[in-house]
Amino acid sequence: MTGFYRQHGALVCDGVPLDAIAAAHGTPLYVYSAPTIAERYRAIDRAFDGYPHAIHYALKANSTLAITRLLRSLGSHADANSAGEIDVAMRAGFIPAQIVFTGVGKTNAELVYAIDLGVRSINVESEGEIRRIDRLSRERNVRTRIAIRVNPDVDAKTHPHISTGLKINKFGIPIGDVRALCARAGALPNVEIVGLHAHVGSQITSMEPLAHAARALVDLARELAADGTPIEHLDIGGGLGVSYDGSPVPGARDYANAVLPILRESGLSIVLEPGRHIIAPAGALLTRVVDVKPGGGADAAPDRLFVVMDAGMTELLRPMMYNAFHRIEPVVASGATPIACDVVGPLCESSDTLGKDRMLPGPQVGDLYAVLDAGAYGSVMASNYNRRLLPAEVMVDNGQATLIRRRQTLEDVLALEI
Ligand SMILES: Cc1ncc(COP(=O)(O)O)c(C=O)c1O
């Protein structure tokens, strides 16, 4: 067993007690399990075994350098969404041919960076972007590889904030426009259309939208080939979800079973851009109770107990941004009777709630809690709101907990200010 589980009643990460890690590094603290990352990466790789594929881990989910390096060592390639993520990928040892560059608003400076490096492909979002890449490439006397991000108008059946494949979303080029666009883009001398790309959303737990997107790409590739624009690869994006509440959800094998038979028809190599599925369950946020107070007023029977943590929306934005559910568990199980609590953060926002109506065993000031499955879109979305400091991060590997990012200091923050 890898990751977060109980040993003699206490939560551990790969056998290392979380209370010892918190005592050594303080809270709020992100803890990651290296074996879990490896296991989940390999599960996807195995599921697509036997068909030409490359896993380009989506750095946006979590790009802490040590995690990025670990994925590279496992054989992953990278999906970068900004010049900053390309830079992190390069620092982690990826070569440009292992990087795809996605993103709905790439600036000229970012495009130039990617063009000069010669990344595997720039996943383009509009005709305007293609024309900018062509012009910038001509100025440099190079030909740049692009993949067309297609908007297939597929309902990913996920939270509206992470649904990206509907025509009302800002992402990609409407599928009906792609053939005409490719005919025009094919005439541009300094771009080469090498791929088609679709990413229809995140935290997808029904395989149907992913299969639908795969079908759309395969059919479009066939039409483009008939039009005289043969392409090299199909990039089916990321999106495979995880279980945040412990209920069963499709895994890597189900994903491959849903999309591979369709993609196989094309004979083209495939690019996968998973983020969340690899890293979410591999991380937990450790946080301590700083206050416990009854709500509802002193003269009335308290209608709820507020458990105020030292972590909130500055450390983990998902509950506030997407109404996302994360399990919140005491690190050391107490025998106390569970009571209904609202687990809240310390910030000056009513939305700063990590979990509503949770049954926690008699929470006391100082108790240590773990917010589970927080590895994806957790630390990368942390902020300095209320002048709070970015949390430290620790990776557990070989029974050893190692600091991989130190806690930010106020000096770090103020160093930017004049
Ligand atoms: C283009 C693209 N690729 C990949 C991903 C990764 O998605 P996920 O973490 O759901 O696998 C995203 C995330 O939104 C994305 O926008």
Side-chain angles (χ1 to χ4, degrees):
M1 184 190 276
T2 69
F4 299 87
Y5 52 90
R6 288 198 182 268
Q7 246 176 16
H8 314 298
L11 266 179
V12 299
C13 178
D14 297 318
V16 183
L18 291 181
D19 57 348
I21 299 178
H25 297 282
T27 56
L29 181 74
Y30 273 98
V31 179
Y32 304 104
S33 154
T36 304
I37 297 172
E39 197 173 281
R40 296 184 71 84
Y41 170 83
R42 290 192 181 117
I44 299 178
D45 201 26
R46 268 197 311 272
F48 286 87
D49 194 24
Y51 191 79
H53 68 278
I55 299 175
H56 286 245
Y57 167 67
L59 289 169
K60 62 177 71 69
N62 189 320
S63 61
T64 302
L65 267 172
I67 290 171
T68 309
R69 279 195 214 103
L70 171 60
L71 279 147
R72 191 187 70 85
S73 75
L74 295 168
S76 183
H77 294 184
D79 160 26
N81 201 65
S82 65
E85 286 187 355
I86 296 179
D87 205 331
V88 165
M90 296 295 290
R91 285 168 199 250
F94 289 96
I95 58 167
Q98 294 173 323
I99 300 171
V100 293
F101 183 22
T102 58
V104 79
K106 309 178 196 78
T107 64
N108 281 359
E110 289 182 304
L111 289 175
V112 163
Y113 183 39
I115 291 167
D116 286 345
L117 280 175
V119 296
R120 173 172 184 178
S121 85
I122 300 180
N123 294 344
V124 297
E125 297 262 353
S126 72
E127 181 162 6
E129 186 185 350
I130 297 174
R131 292 191 181 277
R132 280 194 290 143
I133 294 170
D134 181 60
R135 179 171 55 74
L136 294 165
S137 302
R138 189 150 50 251
E139 287 165 10
R140 285 163 177 75
N141 207 16
V142 293
R143 199 147 181 254
T144 298
R145 295 162 54 86
I146 62 170
I148 310 285
R149 178 160 182 185
V150 176
N151 184 324
D153 196 21
V154 171
D155 184 357
K157 301 192 175 79
T158 183
H159 190 278
H161 292 183
I162 45 176
S163 185
T164 55
L166 283 168
K167 64 179 174 211
I168 54 161
N169 299 131
K170 67 180 176 181
F171 300 97
I173 295 164
I175 190 156
D177 297 348
V178 173
R179 285 174 77 178
L181 170 66
C182 285
R184 294 192 293 277
L188 300 174
N190 293 83
V191 291
E192 182 187 2
I193 303 169
V194 296
L196 291 176
H197 174 228
H199 170 80
V200 294
S202 197
Q203 184 50 16
I204 299 176
T205 52
S206 146
M207 294 301 94
E208 187 208 316
L210 296 166
H212 187 129
R215 164 59 58 206
L217 290 188
V218 169
D219 290 349
L220 187 56
R222 191 186 312 110
E223 289 164 3
L224 286 178
D227 292 347
T229 310
I231 57 166
E232 284 174 19
H233 73 255
L234 299 179
D235 179 342
I236 58 165
L240 183 60
V242 298
S243 174
Y244 283 103
D245 63 3
S247 60
V249 292
R253 183 75 56 194
D254 304 297
Y255 179 40
N257 286 344
V259 297
L260 205 44
I262 301 168
L263 296 165
R264 211 181 271 284
E265 285 174 29
S266 71
L268 301 173
S269 67
I270 55 175
V271 167
L272 308 158
E273 299 174 353
R276 184 191 310 271
H277 191 78
I278 293 175
I279 194 71
L285 172 63
L286 300 188
T287 177
R288 274 192 202 281
V289 178
V290 293
D291 201 4
V292 178
K293 59 178 195 174
D299 47 354
D303 59 0
R304 65 188 61 232
L305 196 64
F306 289 112
V307 182
V308 188
M309 300 302 213
D310 67 1
M313 64 193 291
T314 39
E315 288 71 32
L316 182 64
L317 190 55
R318 298 192 68 259
M320 304 80 193
M321 189 148 152
Y322 311 119
N323 203 17
F325 177 92
H326 283 266
R327 287 175 289 168
I328 303 171
E329 295 191 3
V331 166
V332 179
S334 85
T337 312
I339 42 175
C341 305
D342 278 3
V343 183
V344 300
L347 286 114
C348 301
E349 299 287 338
S350 295
S351 61
D352 186 32
T353 297
L354 288 166
K356 267 190 116 47
D357 296 325
R358 302 301 180 89
M359 297 303 288
L360 302 183
Q364 304 286 323
V365 170
D367 284 355
L368 183 65
Y369 278 78
V371 184
L372 297 175
D373 305 306
Y377 307 103
S379 78
V380 281
M381 286 192 183
S383 81
N384 290 127
Y385 183 40
N386 282 195
R387 289 291 192 190
R388 289 169 60 79
L389 306 169
L390 300 184
E393 296 181 62
V394 163
M395 178 125 79
V396 175
D397 199 8
N398 284 321
Q400 206 62 36
T402 308
L403 188 68
I404 58 169
R405 189 173 82 177
R406 71 165 168 81
R407 190 173 302 285
Q408 196 180 34
T409 65
L410 192 61
E411 289 311 309
D412 294 333
V413 179
L414 291 177
L416 304 176
E417 297 184 24
I418 292 132

